[in-house]
């Protein structure tokens, strides 16, 4: 480790007083709805916890293992998928038993340095987690965890540098986080223009074509068949496409289930160009649509309706049409709502009314939309790669900070001063800037 001699190995128990909280009995209403902030692991994550989702009363605090921790304490999650989430408490607050809370010994460690230090140890805590699907760590594991800590002066220097560098990372993350929304709006704008005639208006005028005919889907499509209601299995001969496999107008071939029933395969086998409409889902997702392009042999499940094209309707265009804002508005208007799911049956799907261009114009729309969506897919791919790099950057920077490598042994200014001084003492040599 490239560290100076003023770094010392200590346990987290050496540099902070640790505690955990508890949960007042849920059966006693008088314990909740008070004025004492009560922190759960879901509240952790931001650098500072200033807003919490729940409050308890003085009575709830008194009659439970919950404890009140002072502002400036640091909370860290100990349970399940949240292990290692950490925040500085920017208020006096209690917490539940899934959070450990540190009160730093300020003679040895600053709260900001301890915050960054704990953040850097997230993967180490996860590795020490015990249990099954939801591993946990304990206060004992945390307190016995060894870390390397410099003197207070160096801590201040490191924190100042981390604040500066990570602010730039967070700004980059914030800019990247806007991209999915921008892409979603772009795709919806393309679909709206494609299905309203705006996208090919000039093309239509050049080719002296008439305006679109208003039709109902039942008049230009065919099929409208429900899928298999038989129980699928994790393994088998042929994939059974379900509503979760319909994503953004395309099929997602992950998380598949299967059938080996030859009769089912024969009855529900898909053909290239078949459009799948999700007839049962949440109110926001019912009606989502994707097209099968023959990627691999497959059948479809009962929550889907298969629609096929005719000589008047290219199903690639139908896929565009059924994913448009116009179709989404129609689905919202005609859906039948249940307790947690909504339904649109085949008759309502058949009654969907839309503008139908000529087959030649459908082909032109498909060409343009495919090109525009391909560009959007490329941007999305680049976004995901950039986000992955930026997401890893924070832990990489923290790792350098706590291995003593965040700073060079001398600063750039100091190095340049040394170079200039050395060169000035050798006037007969060519001066090279480094």
């Amino acid at each position: 480790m490239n560290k100076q001699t003023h770094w010392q190995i200590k346990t987290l128990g050496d540099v902070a007083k640790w505690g955990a909280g508890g949960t007042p009995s849920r059966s006693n209403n008088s314990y909740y709805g008070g004025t004492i902030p009560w922190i759960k692991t879901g509240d952790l994550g931001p650098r500072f916890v200033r807003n919490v989702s729940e409050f308890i009363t003085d009575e709830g605090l008194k009659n439970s293992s919950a404890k009140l921790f002072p502002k400036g304490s640091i909370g860290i999650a100990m349970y399940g998928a949240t292990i290692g989430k950490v925040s500085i408490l920017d208020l006096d607050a209690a917490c539940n038993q899934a959070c450990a809370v540190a009160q730093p010994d300020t003679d040895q460690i600053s709260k900001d340095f301890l915050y960054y230090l704990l953040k850097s140890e997230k993967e180490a805590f996860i590795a020490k987690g015990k249990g099954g699907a939801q591993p946990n760590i304990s206060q004992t594991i945390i307190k016995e965890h060894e870390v390397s800590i410099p003197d207070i002066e160096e801590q201040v220097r490191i924190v100042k540098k981390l604040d500066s560098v990570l602010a730039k990372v967070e700004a980059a993350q914030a800019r990247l986080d806007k991209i999915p929304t921008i892409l979603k709006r772009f795709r919806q704008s393309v679909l709206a223009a494609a299905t309203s005639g705006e996208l090919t208006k000039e093309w239509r005028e050049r080719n002296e074509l008439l305006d679109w005919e208003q039709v109902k889907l039942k008049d230009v499509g065919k099929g409208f068949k429900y899928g298999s209601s038989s129980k699928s299995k994790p393994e088998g001969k042929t994939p059974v496409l379900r509503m979760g496999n319909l994503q953004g107008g395309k099929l997602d071939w992950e998380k598949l289930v299967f059938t080996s029933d030859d009769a089912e395969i024969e009855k529900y086998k898909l053909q290239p160009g078949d459009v799948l409409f999700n007839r049962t889902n949440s109110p926001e997702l019912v009606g989502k649509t994707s097209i099968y392009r023959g990627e691999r042999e497959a059948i479809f499940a009962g929550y889907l309706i298969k629609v096929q094209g005719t000589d008047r309707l290219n199903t690639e265009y139908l896929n565009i049409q059924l994913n448009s804002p116009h179709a989404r508005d129609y689905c919202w208007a005609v859906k039948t709502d249940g307790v947690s799911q909504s339904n649109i049956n085949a008759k309502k799907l058949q009654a969907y009314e839309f503008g139908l261009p000529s087959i030649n114009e459908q082909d032109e729309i498909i060409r343009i939309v495919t090109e525009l969506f391909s560009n959007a897919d490329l941007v999305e791919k680049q976004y995901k790669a950039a986000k992955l790099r930026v997401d890893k950057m924070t832990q990489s920077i923290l790792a350098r900070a706590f291995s003593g490598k965040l700073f060079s042994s001398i600063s750039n200014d100091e190095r340049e001063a040394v170079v200039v001084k050395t060169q000035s003492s050798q006037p007969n040599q060519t001066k090279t800037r480094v």
Side-chain angles (χ1 to χ4, degrees):
M1 227 179 246
N2 182 25
K3 294 185 176 181
Q4 305 300 319
T5 55
H6 51 249
W7 289 72
Q8 297 181 10
I9 302 295
K10 295 186 179 183
T11 67
L12 289 172
D14 292 332
V15 297
K17 177 183 176 182
W18 290 87
T23 300
S25 173
R26 288 289 186 182
S27 62
N28 193 324
N29 292 334
S30 66
Y31 291 171
Y32 292 88
T35 59
I36 300 172
W38 185 61
I39 293 172
K40 294 171 286 189
T41 55
D43 299 312
L44 300 176
R47 181 168 181 177
F48 295 100
V49 172
R50 296 188 172 103
N51 299 301
V52 300
S53 57
E54 203 161 359
F55 294 80
I56 60 175
T57 62
D58 289 330
E59 186 179 359
L61 182 67
K62 181 179 178 181
N63 292 286
S64 73
S65 55
K67 302 176 183 66
L68 190 63
F69 295 98
K71 178 178 179 179
S73 301
I74 300 168
I76 182 170
M78 297 190 291
Y79 291 3
T82 62
I83 286 179
K85 284 177 63 177
V86 61
S87 293
I88 299 171
L89 309 190
D90 202 34
L91 69 178
D92 295 342
C95 68
N96 71 1
Q97 64 275 12
C99 303
V101 180
Q103 298 176 61
D105 177 354
T106 54
D107 288 335
Q108 299 187 70
I109 194 167
S110 73
K111 72 176 188 300
D112 295 298
F113 185 85
L114 180 56
Y115 161 76
Y116 279 131
L117 178 62
L118 292 174
K119 195 174 178 73
S120 75
E121 295 295 319
K122 179 177 180 177
E123 294 302 321
F125 289 137
I126 291 173
K128 290 184 176 183
K130 298 179 180 180
Q134 294 289 324
N136 306 319
I137 55 174
S138 64
Q139 279 194 76
T140 300
I141 288 175
I142 293 174
K143 288 190 285 188
E144 291 177 352
H145 187 73
E146 289 188 340
V147 290
S148 188
I149 300 173
D151 57 36
I152 291 291
E153 183 179 348
E154 182 72 356
Q155 290 177 35
V156 171
R157 187 167 174 246
I158 289 171
V159 167
K160 184 177 180 180
K161 184 67 173 179
L162 286 174
D163 285 346
S164 173
V165 174
L166 293 180
K168 296 175 183 176
V169 175
E170 289 171 6
Q173 286 174 325
R175 288 193 293 271
L176 283 173
D177 288 344
K178 295 176 182 178
I179 292 177
T181 299
I182 294 170
L183 287 174
K184 182 178 180 180
R185 289 175 180 169
F186 171 76
R187 290 187 175 108
Q188 286 298 298
S189 296
V190 170
L191 292 172
T195 55
S196 67
E198 286 298 314
L199 191 64
T200 47
K201 182 178 179 181
E202 293 182 2
W203 181 92
R204 189 166 56 254
E205 290 172 352
R206 287 197 306 270
N207 288 274
E208 299 181 351
L209 295 177
L210 299 175
D211 289 338
W212 295 3
E213 177 186 359
Q214 287 298 118
V215 298
K216 290 183 178 179
L217 184 52
K218 66 180 180 180
D219 297 326
V220 293
K222 64 181 183 180
F224 302 99
K225 302 295 185 182
Y226 292 174
S228 171
S229 58
S230 298
K231 188 173 179 62
S232 304
K233 297 181 180 179
E235 296 180 352
K237 183 177 178 182
T238 300
V240 182
L241 296 173
R242 301 175 295 170
M243 56 186 178
N245 300 114
L246 275 59
Q247 299 291 337
K250 297 182 289 188
L251 291 173
D252 182 348
W253 293 91
E254 300 294 328
K255 298 180 181 178
L256 293 171
V257 294
F258 298 84
T259 183
S260 297
D261 187 323
D262 289 334
E264 288 283 298
I265 294 169
E266 181 63 28
K267 183 176 181 180
Y268 298 106
K269 185 177 179 180
L270 290 165
Q271 299 297 324
D274 287 347
V275 168
L276 297 175
F277 177 90
N278 183 196
R279 68 182 179 93
T280 302
N281 208 319
S282 65
E284 296 78 17
L285 295 177
V286 67
K288 64 178 180 172
T289 302
S290 295
I291 189 168
Y292 172 74
R293 297 189 174 104
E295 295 92 331
R296 58 188 291 189
E297 184 179 67
I299 69 170
F300 63 110
Y303 284 150
L304 305 180
I305 302 173
K306 180 180 74 174
V307 186
Q308 296 173 309
T310 63
D311 57 358
R312 297 184 64 195
L313 178 64
N314 186 323
T315 50
E316 290 284 356
Y317 175 75
L318 177 60
N319 186 46
I320 292 169
Q321 178 63 238
L322 289 178
N323 279 289
S324 70
H326 174 63
R328 297 305 307 153
D329 290 343
Y330 175 79
C331 289
W332 188 264
V334 303
K335 64 184 172 61
T336 301
D337 294 322
V339 176
S340 60
Q341 291 191 316
S342 297
N343 183 267
I344 299 171
N345 61 30
K347 284 188 176 181
K348 290 179 179 177
L349 176 57
Q350 288 174 317
Y352 174 61
E353 190 171 337
F354 62 98
L356 182 71
S358 67
I359 283 291
N360 287 340
E361 189 169 354
Q362 290 179 43
D363 291 341
E364 179 66 7
I365 290 169
I366 293 163
R367 184 191 69 78
I368 297 173
V369 170
T370 300
E371 182 178 341
L372 292 172
F373 275 23
S374 294
N375 292 337
D377 290 344
L378 178 59
V379 172
E380 185 171 31
K381 184 178 180 180
Q382 293 170 337
Y383 150 74
K384 288 179 178 178
K387 182 170 173 55
L388 185 62
R389 290 195 299 270
V390 171
D391 288 346
K392 289 181 177 179
M393 197 176 295
T394 294
Q395 288 304 121
S396 175
I397 292 167
L398 289 172
R400 290 184 64 82
F402 296 106
S403 62
K405 298 176 182 177
L406 189 61
F407 303 101
S408 302
S409 57
I410 57 175
S411 70
N412 290 335
D413 289 342
E414 292 170 329
R415 182 182 294 107
E416 190 162 292
V418 170
V419 171
V420 171
K421 183 176 180 180
T422 302
Q423 291 174 344
S424 64
S425 65
Q426 302 174 23
N428 294 327
Q429 296 185 16
T430 302
K431 297 179 180 179
T432 305
R433 188 179 179 86
V434 298

